[in-house]
Amino acid sequence: MEINTHNAEILLSAANKSHYPEDELPEIALAGRSNVGKSSFINTMLNRKNLARTSGKPGKTQLLNFFNIDDKMRFVDVPGYGYARVSKKEREKWGRMIEEYLTTRENLRAVVSLVDFRHDPSADDVQMYEFLKYYEIPVIIVATKADKIPRGKWNKHESAIKKKLNFDPSDDFILFSSVTKAGMDQAWDAILEKL
Ligand SMILES: Nc1nc2c(ncn2[C@@H]2O[C@H](COP(=O)(O)OP(=O)(O)O)[C@@H](O)[C@H]2O)c(=O)[nH]1
Ligand SMILES: [Mg+2]
């Protein structure tokens, strides 16, 4: 499929099913901890500076944000998890919203699950990966902020992350940087393959 990534815009934000777009365009959801670099990933992939707002205040966006890409597919930005300062009630609401989307959305083709390349995955990262595997939702692991790790340590970090996740080698694992754009072509290849 040929996609003009310049032709992208935010379409709508939704709290539940009744607000999802009603057509059959394929969707790629993006999930990860607050501050992992999800908005930066979207902006980089779409060659935009500020389409998905990169925020210093994580946990603020509590809705599913649907981005229309060239009328051919959508990115669905899932609110970041693991933000300590939200209440238990808000966390439960978040859980129901994301679970409803991930387990019932027929348009969903794959989830890009972002983890910070610098650190071992958090318990939330592991739980998200297990959840996706359990529901047999295709997953692309994107390890962000690769520019912050010297190349000589890449193998060590990659192995540690895969081990902690109990990574399935048939899934994609992509090293990514929104600063250098490393991994961008690979990420697009992996995404297009899932559509
Ligand atoms: N060095 C570096 N910083 C990044 C990268 N991606 C995101 N950041 C920074 O990490 C912070 C959080 O990024 P953001 O995209 O808002 O994360 P989100 O909360 O997951 O949407 C911001 O200060 C970004 O500039 C990356 O690939 N490399
Ligand atoms: Mg964000």
Side-chain angles (χ1 to χ4, degrees), residues 19-63:
H19 298 136
Y20 300 165
E22 281 180 8
D23 56 48
E24 295 185 344
L25 284 190
E27 290 172 353
I28 299 289
L30 303 127
R33 276 180 76 83
S34 296
N35 229 29
V36 70
K38 201 151 46 71
S39 299
S40 303
F41 176 83
I42 296 171
N43 288 334
T44 301
M45 293 293 279
L46 299 175
N47 290 300
R48 296 282 275 273
K49 279 211 167 65
N50 207 11
L51 182 64
R53 210 164 54 90
T54 44
S55 166
K57 284 187 186 144
K60 280 286 174 195
T61 40
Q62 294 298 334
L63 298 168

Side-chain angles (χ1 to χ4, degrees), residues 27-32 78 81 94 98-105 108-115 124-142 165-168 171-172 194:
E27 290 172 353
I28 299 289
L30 303 127
V78 171
Y81 51 79
W94 177 91
I98 169 71
E99 197 168 316
E100 175 180 55
Y101 175 80
L102 292 177
T103 60
T104 69
R105 183 64 165 165
L108 180 66
R109 296 292 181 275
V111 174
V112 172
S113 184
L114 296 99
V115 297
D124 289 323
D125 292 331
V126 174
Q127 204 186 349
M128 174 58 76
Y129 188 67
E130 283 172 352
F131 180 93
L132 297 170
K133 298 308 287 181
Y134 178 81
Y135 284 100
E136 298 181 344
I137 299 166
V139 44
I140 300 165
I141 297 286
V142 165
L165 287 179
N166 193 18
F167 180 75
D168 173 352
D171 290 332
D172 293 294
K194 300 286 193 277

Side-chain angles (χ1 to χ4, degrees), residues 171-187:
D171 290 332
D172 293 294
F173 185 97
I174 297 168
L175 283 187
F176 191 85
S177 167
S178 60
V179 173
T180 66
K181 299 191 195 294
M184 183 172 130
D185 293 343
Q186 236 185 312

Side-chain angles (χ1 to χ4, degrees), residues 149-157:
I149 300 294
R151 271 172 195 268
K153 293 185 178 166
W154 279 11
N155 280 340
K156 183 174 157 255
H157 282 251

